[in-house]
Structures are given as C-alpha cells and as structure tokens.
Amino acid sequence: MPATTSTTSRPLSPWPRCTPPQFLLESVTIGLPGGLVGAAAGVLITVVVAVVRDWTPLLEPSLAAAGPLLGAVIGLTAGTYPAWKASAIEPITALRRG
C-alpha cells in the first residue's frame, strides 16, 4: 500500500483503530469484483467450449457463486498484513519514507 494512502486516511479517521477496517474494506471491495469477473469468465469459457465441441454445458451454480466469495476472501487475506502495518505507522513516518 503506498505511503500516501495510509498518510491521508489515518489522520482523516476519527480514531486510529478505524484504519485497519478501512484497508480491509478496500481489499474486499477489490477482491469481490475480481472474483465476479473470474467466475463470469469461467462460465463463458465453459459454454463456448461446449458449443464449439457440440457438448452440453454442465455448470454447477454453487461453484459459479463461490467465485466472488472466494475473491472477497482472498482480498481480505491479502489486505490483512498491509492494514495491520498501516495502523501501526505514524503518518509523518510514512511521509518521510516516501
């Protein structure tokens, strides 16, 4: 996460403990659409291959629905460490490091 992101959101939050949830929400917000696009691409590729080969496409709706949820979980997992680090650093220190 860029130093400028943590230096602008940390002083703007009413309490320092609000910083980690802000970063985690951002991570989930990025991961969820990524999972949605990935699931849609998987379904589309499955249907196209089935049509080209003259097969009947068999899709499990629960697996397609799991894609966005998995993307959100991956985003949450990937954002945990940066959120923890951003909450521990003082804004002026982040600015000095660049």
Side-chain angles (χ1 to χ4, degrees), residues 5-94:
T5 304
S6 63
T7 55
T8 55
S9 66
R10 176 101 186 259
L12 295 176
S13 66
W15 302 280
R17 68 178 183 266
C18 289
T19 304
Q22 289 173 354
F23 287 119
L24 293 176
L25 180 64
E26 180 181 334
S27 298
V28 171
T29 302
I30 292 170
L32 188 66
L36 185 63
V37 168
V43 168
L44 181 65
I45 290 170
T46 301
V47 170
V48 167
V49 168
V51 167
V52 167
R53 295 198 173 249
D54 201 26
W55 295 340
T56 302
L58 296 174
L59 299 169
E60 185 67 36
S62 62
L63 290 177
L69 295 177
L70 185 61
V73 169
I74 290 171
L76 181 66
T77 304
T80 300
Y81 181 72
W84 174 67
K85 291 296 282 185
S87 67
I89 193 168
E90 289 297 320
I92 192 67
T93 307

